[in-house]
Amino acid sequence: MTITIDQAIIHEITQNNEGKLSCRLRPQPLLNGQAVEVMLEELHQTYTSKAGKGFGHFGVPEGSDAEANDAFSNALDEYRSGDLGFVEFSGKAGKLLQDELAKYDFSQGGFLLMACYTSLASEFLFVALLNAKSSMTVLDDMELTQNNHLDLNNLQLAARIDLTELQAEPDSKKYISFIRGRAGRKVADFFLDFMGCVEGVNTKVQNKNLMNAVEDFVAGNELTKEERQEVREKVFDFCKERSDEGLDIDLKSLADEITEDGMDSFYDFANTGDYELDDEFPADKATLRQLKKFSGTGGGVSLSFDGNHLGERVIYDPVSNTILIKGVPANLKDQLDRRLKGE
């Protein structure tokens, strides 16, 4: 187990034939048996590995009702101070989610899971709206029966509050992380609104700025092509490792990792430019992967290659807007040869 569970509970939000929502509250926490441990461990791993998460904090968006937006955070404060039990706190959250869902026509309810657990010395509150999925099971007498189970693989509406960071740095803009919807931030608006969460850190922008700073840094030092690529790969490997461990990119630690004798300080370089980098921010591997690979799609053509091939196996001519590839991949060459032979 990579997590230590404190408490967990599930409430159900249902919709009747008239479309009215109601919240069926569980009167006590889930027993921390093996089923709960396995479920939360799986959800923790799935959530941590989700790419492209957004980050935010408790706040009031423009034009919103401040009192309504504070309801979840106020209840959380009461729970953290001991004035409210976990069951009562989660019950308030269930009612808040029910009220928020009632504003929309698309909702059919689901199971609200709330869990407090510790991982890597940080305490988290995990909040997710899970759906049930139908499946077929073979009984002992070889008869088929249909049952429902929680769809843990399709985790779309979930957020995690870093309670340790919230307590240590209440002014932080990133102690809440959330899964972005498939169509972008707006898909999960109602889920974040019920918690009173507003987006605070644009992870993609921070990672794009870091990538630009690295490119300018290697260009400004007298490095060979191989040395420049080595720095890029060190940056990517460092950030990937931090991301896999659920940690933020620490700019000072990254600078120590890539700055060698005879080179300028990357930390000083990044802070003297117009990169607007925070000292710590979450990693976005999809953005940083551009340090190692070039890729693009458009007009029916997709192309991807390792960065160290540029100028050698892959020759780019910006004037003629063409790319020459030396040494066509064997499987692609076979397809091309077959097509030419057929024509």
Side-chain angles (χ1 to χ4, degrees):
M1 290 284 290
T2 61
I3 64 174
T4 302
I5 302 168
D6 181 16
Q7 297 193 81
I9 198 166
I10 288 179
H11 303 303
E12 184 180 15
I13 297 177
T14 59
Q15 186 179 51
N16 62 21
N17 295 332
E18 287 74 37
K20 184 177 180 180
L21 294 172
S22 62
C23 186
R24 185 162 67 98
L25 300 176
R26 179 180 167 87
Q28 62 185 21
L30 296 169
L31 299 176
N32 285 351
Q34 184 177 6
V36 177
E37 292 176 356
V38 170
M39 177 186 68
L40 288 177
E41 178 73 20
E42 181 178 341
L43 287 172
H44 170 73
Q45 297 292 348
T46 299
Y47 184 86
T48 301
S49 63
K50 281 276 188 180
K53 288 192 290 287
F55 292 83
H57 57 97
F58 291 126
V60 183
E62 291 185 16
S64 297
D65 182 351
E67 183 177 348
N69 271 75
D70 287 343
F72 184 94
S73 60
N74 289 339
L76 177 59
D77 288 341
E78 290 182 65
Y79 164 63
R80 296 282 286 166
S81 65
D83 295 331
L84 202 63
F86 179 73
V87 173
E88 291 74 22
F89 163 54
S90 67
K92 282 191 173 185
K95 292 294 187 182
L96 288 172
L97 181 56
Q98 173 194 327
D99 293 342
E100 188 64 34
L101 283 170
K103 301 175 184 178
Y104 301 88
D105 296 330
F106 58 78
S107 175
Q108 296 180 345
F111 293 91
L112 173 63
L113 169 67
M114 298 182 66
C116 278
Y117 65 80
T118 302
S119 176
L120 297 174
S122 291
E123 186 180 359
F124 296 100
L125 172 65
F126 183 75
V127 186
L129 184 61
L130 304 174
N131 292 318
K133 185 177 182 180
S134 179
S135 65
M136 301 298 293
T137 301
V138 180
L139 301 176
D140 290 341
D141 59 1
M142 304 307 288
E143 285 287 345
L144 289 175
T145 184
Q146 187 174 16
N147 59 21
N148 291 328
H149 67 271
L150 292 176
D151 188 3
L152 303 183
N153 293 325
N154 188 28
L155 189 63
Q156 294 297 324
L157 295 172
R160 188 168 66 185
I161 304 170
D162 189 330
L163 299 175
T164 302
E165 182 175 349
L166 173 59
Q167 182 173 351
E169 300 178 55
D171 294 330
S172 168
K173 301 296 183 183
K174 58 178 179 59
Y175 52 76
I176 303 177
S177 62
F178 58 90
I179 295 176
R180 293 184 182 275
R182 291 176 178 174
R185 161 75 169 84
K186 292 186 178 300
V187 174
D189 270 1
F190 79 88
F191 190 70
L192 298 182
D193 288 345
F194 110 86
M195 291 191 298
C197 172
V198 294
E199 190 164 9
V201 175
N202 192 318
T203 308
K204 284 188 176 295
V205 169
Q206 285 283 298
N207 282 259
K208 182 69 174 178
N209 290 347
L210 172 61
M211 191 175 68
N212 291 338
V214 171
E215 290 297 341
D216 292 345
F217 178 71
V218 297
N221 283 273
E222 295 182 359
L223 304 175
T224 65
K225 177 187 174 182
E226 290 73 20
E227 289 171 335
R228 291 196 297 269
Q229 190 60 27
E230 183 180 348
V231 171
R232 296 185 186 105
E233 293 188 4
K234 278 186 178 180
V235 172
F236 178 80
D237 291 342
F238 175 89
C239 296
K240 180 180 181 298
E241 182 178 347
R242 299 283 293 188
S243 177
D244 291 342
E245 294 175 355
L247 302 173
D248 290 343
I249 297 172
D250 183 321
L251 200 59
K252 290 183 178 179
S253 297
L254 173 61
D256 292 339
E257 187 77 13
I258 66 174
T259 303
E260 300 179 355
D261 292 340
M263 296 173 63
D264 299 329
S265 165
F266 177 72
Y267 182 77
D268 293 339
F269 178 86
N271 280 289
T272 54
D274 297 325
Y275 305 108
E276 299 180 353
L277 287 170
D278 297 335
D279 274 352
E280 293 187 7
F281 54 89
D284 182 66
K285 289 186 285 188
T287 299
L288 293 173
R289 196 169 286 114
Q290 297 174 45
L291 290 167
K292 296 185 66 175
K293 279 182 172 289
F294 291 99
S295 62
T297 301
V301 175
S302 295
L303 186 62
S304 176
F305 58 91
D306 291 341
N308 56 4
H309 290 319
L310 184 63
E312 296 180 0
R313 286 187 62 189
V314 181
I315 310 298
Y316 170 55
D317 184 351
V319 178
S320 62
N321 194 28
T322 58
I323 287 180
L324 172 64
I325 300 176
K326 298 180 179 179
V328 178
N331 56 350
L332 177 58
K333 184 178 186 304
D334 181 58
Q335 296 174 57
L336 294 173
D337 289 344
R338 288 186 183 184
R339 177 61 60 88
L340 290 176
K341 184 178 180 180
E343 293 180 352

